[in-house]
Amino acid sequence: MYPKLIIDVNKLESNLNAVAEITRERGHCSLMIVTKGLCADQEMVKMVANSPKVDYVADSRVKNIASYADMVRAAGKKTVLLRIPMHDEVSEVIKYVDLSFNSELSTIRLLNKEAEKAGIVHDILLMIDLGDLREGIFFQREDLIRQAVSEILEMKNIRLYGIGVNLTCYGAIIPKYENLSKLVEIGRKIEEEFAIQLQMISGGNSSSIYLIDKGELPEGINNLRLGEAFLLGNDTAYETRLPGTTGDGLLLQAQIIELKEKPSLPIGEVGVDAFGQKPYYEDRGMMKRAIIGIGKQDTDLDSMTPVDPQIEIMGGSSDHIILDVTHCDRAYQVGDIVEFTLGYGGMLKTSTSPYVEREYKR
Ligand SMILES: *Cc1c(COP(=O)(O)O)cnc(C)c1O
């Protein structure tokens, strides 16, 4: 059945080995693999959990982690929750998560209570915001950082495992030697002032890996968290391909359901499209237009690229995508399958749409 996501587990594994080589061997960092981009796909997670090169398996959603916590723990690795927990999910966090990222004392207090009930000590990573302006205590407020650490260290069932930063997500701020050094400096200050040792100073996501081969990852950063770099082979700071990786470990297939010659300009008064947008059309004369059986409900049109470079995506609606196949050498027919590589948004939507089937290649 189509649409279908082809997941090439072997290619993902070679991507994993390539990013592990950079991160662990050359960067002297532990490797946290992030599973949310492919909605914690079980075959992908199985491969990741069993790889000797992975130290932690992380996701932003407790539900995804719950689906694989047993497998990851059985393989001797820790599960990690990346998104700051909601008050209402602390009991699930304590159950399925070994290390959670936090920035709110009220939440950490609840985690402490829940961990006490469960008779365990729960590890947390305190998030510091270096200017991307998503989660974390703002780096210039050293008073607030000190206050938080001091209270956390009093909690019997919470252990401060380390500190971390997230960049290039909301504010699109690029990790550099300068901003990441600030994180290391904050870590060292905490260690000195409280006479403790932090296990982890986590220096970001797939946008930080490029610093390693430039020799610009500050000493002291000892962990990176990689999703897109592993799944799609992308350095997300400057959108380059990471050495030794491929971008076609995931392929989207869809079937042509209509193929007709029609004009390129719609006829009649132009209103708004199915999503309330005013469309723009270019007059290209008569065209060969193919409709495939997939739509905006299942994928992101701006985040998919036809494998046949002569195909152009014209647009779409909830359940249809229209392709310009006028200039294709291949004589497409109704029933033919068209393939696409994916960007992050396309991967996220296709892997979370219940309408997209999956097939595994090895
Ligand atoms: C999603 C996420 C990551 C992974 O991001 P990639 O760009 O896919 O590597 C890492 N850390 C946090 C906090 C995240 O939310």
Side-chain angles (χ1 to χ4, degrees):
M1 285 286 284
Y2 296 95
K4 197 194 279 178
L5 187 59
I6 311 286
I7 301 175
D8 189 325
V9 183
N10 274 347
K11 284 189 178 175
L12 294 183
E13 189 165 15
S14 34
N15 280 1
L16 176 61
N17 292 336
V19 298
E21 167 74 25
I22 303 171
T23 308
R24 287 165 58 111
E25 302 305 319
R26 302 209 282 277
H28 310 292
C29 284
S30 62
L31 178 57
M32 191 181 289
I33 285 292
V34 177
T35 57
K36 69 188 186 204
L38 199 55
C39 194
D41 174 85
Q42 290 289 295
E43 293 299 315
M44 176 270 289
V45 171
K46 206 183 290 172
M47 181 273 286
V48 167
N50 290 313
S51 166
K53 297 177 180 170
V54 175
D55 306 291
Y56 305 85
V57 185
D59 204 285
S60 49
R61 304 205 178 221
V62 182
K63 201 168 173 182
N64 284 352
I65 295 172
S67 76
Y68 62 61
D70 285 348
M71 194 202 307
V72 168
R73 286 167 170 170
K77 299 180 167 100
K78 281 186 200 284
T79 60
V80 181
L81 178 64
L82 300 169
R83 186 170 67 187
I84 309 306
M86 301 174 217
H87 279 189
D88 281 5
E89 64 186 359
V90 291
S91 66
E92 283 77 15
V93 174
I94 293 303
K95 202 157 153 196
Y96 300 113
V97 175
D98 300 317
L99 170 65
S100 65
F101 288 16
N102 283 275
S103 63
E104 290 290 350
L105 274 169
S106 67
T107 310
I108 302 169
R109 286 180 205 124
L110 291 177
L111 286 168
N112 185 41
K113 233 184 251 162
E114 202 63 35
E116 186 185 354
K117 262 197 251 164
I120 60 159
V121 172
H122 179 74
D123 286 333
I124 65 162
L125 198 87
L126 190 63
M127 292 304 274
I128 310 291
D129 182 355
L130 294 179
D132 197 60
L133 305 185
R134 206 179 71 179
E135 74 274 40
I137 305 178
F138 196 54
F139 73 106
Q140 289 171 344
R141 293 301 304 271
E142 291 192 13
D143 55 325
L144 294 181
I145 297 172
R146 194 175 305 120
Q147 194 185 320
V149 170
S150 158
E151 182 173 339
I152 291 162
L153 294 177
E154 293 295 314
M155 297 181 189
K156 295 236 162 12
N157 296 79
I158 295 289
R159 177 168 66 148
L160 181 62
Y161 195 73
I163 60 172
V165 66
N166 197 59
L167 292 162
T168 339
C169 269
Y170 171 72
I173 297 305
I174 291 181
K176 299 263 184 186
Y177 182 85
E178 292 69 32
N179 48 17
L180 290 184
S181 305
K182 190 72 207 163
L183 184 71
V184 176
E185 196 185 299
I186 291 168
R188 295 297 169 247
K189 268 194 193 155
I190 293 172
E191 290 183 324
E192 270 169 39
E193 197 169 327
F194 295 93
I196 55 169
Q197 217 178 347
L198 299 174
Q199 302 272 322
M200 182 181 279
I201 298 187
S202 185
N205 56 42
S206 297
S207 64
S208 291
I209 189 171
Y210 84 98
L211 289 167
I212 292 173
D213 283 342
K214 282 186 84 182
E216 291 175 7
L217 188 74
E219 196 172 324
I221 299 288
N222 65 5
N223 171 268
L224 291 186
R225 315 180 300 269
L226 305 180
E228 185 168 348
F230 149 59
L231 293 164
L232 298 173
N234 293 333
D235 134 47
T236 58
Y238 295 105
E239 300 181 333
T240 65
R241 167 146 317 285
L242 291 164
T245 66
T246 124
D248 63 357
L250 306 170
L251 278 181
L252 175 65
Q253 295 185 329
Q255 189 163 40
I256 298 179
I257 56 173
E258 183 187 292
L259 185 72
K260 298 206 185 294
E261 295 233 356
K262 292 186 193 176
S264 44
L265 289 181
I267 294 157
E269 187 190 348
V270 177
V272 292
D273 71 9
F275 288 83
Q277 304 292 315
K278 193 133 192 145
Y280 164 78
Y281 306 104
E282 187 189 338
D283 190 358
R284 302 181 182 183
M286 287 299 279
M287 293 168 50
K288 217 187 272 174
R289 304 165 71 96
I291 300 178
I292 50 176
I294 183 171
K296 290 184 180 174
Q297 192 173 179
D298 315 295
T299 184
D300 179 347
L301 270 62
D302 297 323
S303 185
M304 54 194 282
T305 308
V307 172
D308 178 346
Q310 293 172 316
I311 293 179
E312 195 182 323
I313 299 172
M314 300 296 295
S317 52
S318 309
D319 307 298
H320 301 78
I321 293 177
I322 299 156
L323 307 175
D324 180 356
V325 295
T326 315
H327 305 291
C328 293
D329 293 332
R330 181 172 158 193
Y332 284 100
Q333 310 278 330
V334 173
D336 282 355
I337 304 304
V338 186
E339 287 193 324
F340 302 86
T341 56
L342 297 169
Y344 194 80
M347 170 174 70
L348 196 64
K349 286 197 87 176
T350 52
S351 64
T352 49
S353 168
Y355 302 103
V356 179
E357 305 286 324
R358 291 185 201 181
E359 186 183 307
Y360 298 94
K361 241 166 85 179
R362 260 172 250 275

